[in-house]
Amino acid sequence: MAIREAIRDGADKTAQASSFPLIHCRGLVKVYPLSGVEVHALRGVDLEIKQREMVAIMGPSGSGKSTLMNIIGCMDKQTSGDYYLNGVDVSKLDENGLAATRNANLGFVFQRYNLLARATALYNVELPLFYAGMAGAEAEAKAMAALDQVGLHDFSQHWPNQMSGGQQQRVAIARAIVKRPLVILADEPTGALDTVSSKDIMEIFQKMHREHGATVVVITHEPFVADFCQRKVVIRDGQIISDDQVPNWHDV
Amino acid sequence: MAVKFSILSDFAVRALKANKMRSFLTMLGIIIGVGAVVLMMSIGQGTQAQVMANINRLGTNMLMISPGASGQFGVRSGTTNTMTLKDATAIAKLDGVAGVAPTVRTSGLVTYGNQTWTTSATGTTPAVVDISSLTVAQGRFFDDTDVQSISAVAVLGQTVYTNLYPNGANPIGTEIRIKNVSFRVIGLLQSIGAGMGGNDQDDVIYIPVTTAQIRMSGITNQAINMMQVQVASKEQMDSVQNAIETLLRTRHRLAATAADDFRITNMAQIQETAASVTGSMILFLASVAAISLIVGGIGIMNIMLVSVTERTREIGVRMAIGASRQDILSQFLLEAVMLSLLGALLGIIFGIGGAKIFAFFAKMAAPISISSILISVGFSIVVGVFFGYYPATRAARLNPSEALGYE
């Protein structure tokens, strides 16, 4: 609770000053010991993402972008270097602190939706609230509001297998935003979708960003998806090779 | 910030419902285990109660004295007719003796009109009524006068009555023949039921002991087959037994080195022995049944391990959206406990059902003890926690990023 409040407080203080780096990585190195050989997934990454930014992290497979996403998402720890989420040194958090941070401050969207198959859309969106100790009507109301935001109000009682891929991914987005996290982290959110659905999903992210001031980080290898973002960071062999603003990104 | 218990239970129920057949098969081990424990305890306690009731009917504060030396390994040798009615009279005068019923037994054909029945007639004294807890349903039992006057009177048990009087006629005052000796029926006993080992305790005819000796067996020296001695209280059992032993040795003029020419069986000791034997039988049956509970627990662990592997991605997602390791541990532990608890409840139902069926067919009580239910429920919770803990720990120790990438 304390960690969550600390991070939240920071966010409130900096809501006006959007130059404050929400995500601040300095010299991030990640080494995996893989059957005796050390694999250097990240070789010193410096990255700052400010509040209300919408950033695409691009790179071919094996470039280290998923590793970066895991570290930013507090699901893995760096070998060396620093990572501050809203000013908090994540490496100093224990397991429970990391879980609480993921629950309160991060919203994940995955390539394969990763919804619970035997639960309604509503129940899936309620899950993060359950892990925050909420239940009942309060959780249901919040989850319905999130489903509204992704345009799935009428699908709350549908099961994942009764929905299209695009709809399932929208449920996953509703699940990610239901706790109004500091950062929405999307790992290849369009990887399993056709072009129309992909565009749909990216427009929802843009809407979240535009209307609710969400900070969105999208990991992708498709340039078409990256064009929906304000800023494009390219990683190759564990290092950032380019970091550019995207002109006319709203008009895709 | 932990997940509410109601939500946690809901997680577990959903997971179990997702694989109904598998959940049921996993529970089956526990169902059988608990059912067996409940059934075995029930049958055991029913048997024990019946054994005790039978022994009690024989009389708890009872000494059975039979003639004949007790040889090696308890084998009786010789058929000495050393014990007499006078011995019985002498024993009756001892302190702490409430009653003595001497017995002379003879068996043969009994006839009434054209009906016949083969059974045994027991020659005894009126003291047997109290000692064997007999109740006269109709007519009267013979009295001391009948014994002294060697009367040819008989009191019938229900089995004898129904076989000789198939029309249900009033037997009082009628004449029957026992081994061709004519007897007048003066009483009919109430039914007692089956005794230990299933012998019919209603298949009896009581006649005066003197009549049995003189008219039936041609015994002239007053010898008797056996005597039952009722002792006034349980505390006096040993002292009375010793007093009888001394008295009989003196009366029979046995040398100090000679072996007893009689045998005393202490019913209180038999009762204690029977209680401990049936007690350990129940324990043995319950332990065997409990082993199947452990086997059931291993089944739960096995399936839970499979489940954790299958649901690795789900665990990863749950962790990504904020489940702590404790939350995951609790969820999987609860699933295991629910499996075992639900299995226990079904097992109790089957156990009770089985006991009722047993009671119906075996025609004896099979009481369901609350303790057997509490023990089996408690034990199955322990089994669930014990065998669920390892798989749950495996789930909780997963690394979220690796679990998410698991194929």
Side-chain angles (χ1 to χ4, degrees), chain B residues 165-244:
Chain B
Y165 302 81
N167 307 328
N170 181 4
I172 308 299
T174 56
E175 293 281 327
I176 61 167
R177 297 181 79 82
I178 305 171
K179 285 169 80 176
N180 260 333
V181 178
S182 181
F183 281 83
R184 189 162 50 85
V185 177
I186 58 164
L188 177 65
L189 296 173
Q190 250 172 26
S191 176
I192 295 175
M196 252 196 304
N199 60 314
D200 184 356
Q201 298 186 90
D202 293 322
D203 192 7
V204 289
I205 299 177
Y206 287 106
I207 57 176
V209 62
T210 48
T211 315
Q213 286 174 323
I214 295 160
R215 297 201 186 183
M216 306 298 295
S217 311
I219 298 168
T220 50
N221 62 356
Q222 297 202 337
I224 54 174
N225 295 145
M226 197 193 76
M227 73 184 119
Q228 290 170 280
V229 178
Q230 176 93 52
V231 179
S233 72
K234 195 171 180 174
E235 289 68 39
Q236 289 168 288
M237 289 291 281
D238 290 338
S239 63
V240 169
Q241 183 174 353
N242 289 336
I244 291 173

Side-chain angles (χ1 to χ4, degrees), chain B residues 39 42 349-362 364 366-368:
Chain B
L39 183 62
S42 166
I349 292 170
F350 283 120
I352 291 174
K356 292 249 182 284
I357 291 169
F358 172 82
F360 179 77
F361 284 109
M364 60 177 257
I368 306 295

Side-chain angles (χ1 to χ4, degrees), chain B residues 10-254:
Chain B
D10 183 55
F11 287 167
V13 168
R14 278 167 186 268
L16 298 184
K17 272 188 180 168
N19 275 305
K20 287 196 191 71
M21 190 62 180
R22 183 202 279 188
S23 300
F24 174 73
L25 290 175
T26 310
M27 277 188 280
L28 205 53
I30 300 290
I31 292 174
I32 292 170
V34 169
V37 169
V38 171
L39 183 62
M40 290 301 152
M41 297 272 280
S42 166
I43 291 176
Q45 283 173 343
T47 309
Q48 186 173 41
Q50 189 164 31
V51 167
M52 287 304 139
N54 286 330
I55 292 175
N56 282 342
R57 190 145 58 224
L58 289 175
T60 44
N61 302 335
M62 184 90 77
L63 296 170
M64 310 278 245
I65 309 167
S66 37
S70 138
Q72 241 185 333
F73 307 120
V75 176
R76 241 188 293 168
S77 56
T79 48
T80 42
N81 297 332
T82 51
M83 214 158 64
T84 66
L85 271 181
K86 282 176 185 155
D87 288 332
T89 317
I91 286 169
K93 287 174 185 153
L94 284 173
D95 266 355
V97 172
V100 180
T103 306
V104 174
R105 201 159 265 169
T106 177
S107 48
L109 193 68
V110 183
T111 57
Y112 169 70
N114 57 358
Q115 302 292 332
T116 62
W117 184 244
T118 303
T119 184
S120 68
T122 307
T124 185
T125 63
V128 78
V129 175
D130 284 338
I131 292 174
S132 297
S133 314
L134 304 177
T135 315
V136 178
Q138 216 179 327
R140 65 174 182 91
F141 207 84
F142 52 79
D143 53 23
D144 287 329
T145 319
D146 293 315
V147 175
Q148 278 154 24
S149 58
I150 318 174
S151 303
V153 292
V155 178
L156 308 182
Q158 282 290 337
T159 305
V160 175
Y161 167 65
T162 49
N163 281 288
L164 289 182
Y165 302 81
N167 307 328
N170 181 4
I172 308 299
T174 56
E175 293 281 327
I176 61 167
R177 297 181 79 82
I178 305 171
K179 285 169 80 176
N180 260 333
V181 178
S182 181
F183 281 83
R184 189 162 50 85
V185 177
I186 58 164
L188 177 65
L189 296 173
Q190 250 172 26
S191 176
I192 295 175
M196 252 196 304
N199 60 314
D200 184 356
Q201 298 186 90
D202 293 322
D203 192 7
V204 289
I205 299 177
Y206 287 106
I207 57 176
V209 62
T210 48
T211 315
Q213 286 174 323
I214 295 160
R215 297 201 186 183
M216 306 298 295
S217 311
I219 298 168
T220 50
N221 62 356
Q222 297 202 337
I224 54 174
N225 295 145
M226 197 193 76
M227 73 184 119
Q228 290 170 280
V229 178
Q230 176 93 52
V231 179
S233 72
K234 195 171 180 174
E235 289 68 39
Q236 289 168 288
M237 289 291 281
D238 290 338
S239 63
V240 169
Q241 183 174 353
N242 289 336
I244 291 173
E245 219 169 286
T246 314
L247 180 73
L248 287 180
R249 285 186 72 87
T250 313
R251 287 181 60 83
H252 296 178
R253 296 193 179 84
L254 294 176

Side-chain angles (χ1 to χ4, degrees), chain A residues 102-103 114 123 131 133, chain B residues 4 10 18 313 318-319 321:
Chain A
R102 289 196 293 267
N103 184 254
N114 282 338
Y123 191 89
Y131 283 113
Chain B
K4 283 196 165 66
D10 183 55
R313 272 183 83 85
R318 285 177 182 274
M319 285 178 161
I321 63 177

Side-chain angles (χ1 to χ4, degrees), chain A residues 28-207:
Chain A
L28 275 190
V29 171
K30 180 68 184 178
V31 181
Y32 291 109
L34 202 70
S35 55
V37 188
E38 289 191 337
V39 176
H40 292 258
L42 295 179
R43 303 161 181 266
V45 169
D46 298 314
L47 179 65
E48 280 189 16
I49 296 175
K50 296 186 189 69
Q51 195 156 29
R52 293 170 182 251
E53 264 195 304
M54 185 155 171
V55 183
I57 296 177
M58 292 193 68
S61 60
S63 59
K65 62 183 193 299
S66 289
T67 305
L68 182 60
M69 145 114 180
N70 283 337
I71 292 172
I72 291 174
C74 300
M75 293 202 286
D76 210 348
K77 282 188 179 177
Q78 67 273 24
T79 311
S80 66
D82 298 313
Y83 167 40
Y84 296 92
L85 175 61
N86 204 38
V88 172
D89 185 351
V90 172
S91 65
K92 297 238 160 43
L93 297 179
D94 63 1
E95 291 286 353
N96 287 332
L98 289 174
T101 302
R102 289 196 293 267
N103 184 254
N105 300 318
L106 296 161
F108 292 91
V109 178
F110 307 100
Q111 178 175 357
R112 284 195 281 169
Y113 333 130
N114 282 338
L115 301 176
L116 296 190
R118 289 166 194 276
T120 61
L122 181 69
Y123 191 89
N124 269 289
V125 178
E126 283 178 299
L127 263 189
L129 301 171
F130 292 155
Y131 283 113
M134 198 185 284
E138 193 186 2
E140 198 177 317
K142 284 194 188 238
M144 278 311 295
L147 280 171
D148 270 344
Q149 286 186 19
V150 297
L152 285 180
H153 182 91
D154 298 333
F155 288 80
S156 65
Q157 294 307 316
H158 281 57
W159 291 45
N161 61 8
Q162 296 169 321
M163 291 186 280
S164 71
Q167 285 170 329
Q168 289 185 59
Q169 193 62 302
R170 275 147 73 187
V171 174
I173 293 172
R175 182 178 66 186
I177 62 170
V178 73
K179 291 211 70 197
R180 306 210 302 110
L182 294 177
V183 184
I184 299 170
L185 275 178
D187 188 5
E188 302 275 8
T190 60
L193 299 175
D194 60 33
T195 316
V196 177
S197 301
S198 299
K199 190 164 179 286
D200 217 30
I201 293 300
M202 291 315 294
E203 276 170 2
I204 288 175
F205 282 130
Q206 282 194 338
K207 183 179 150 214

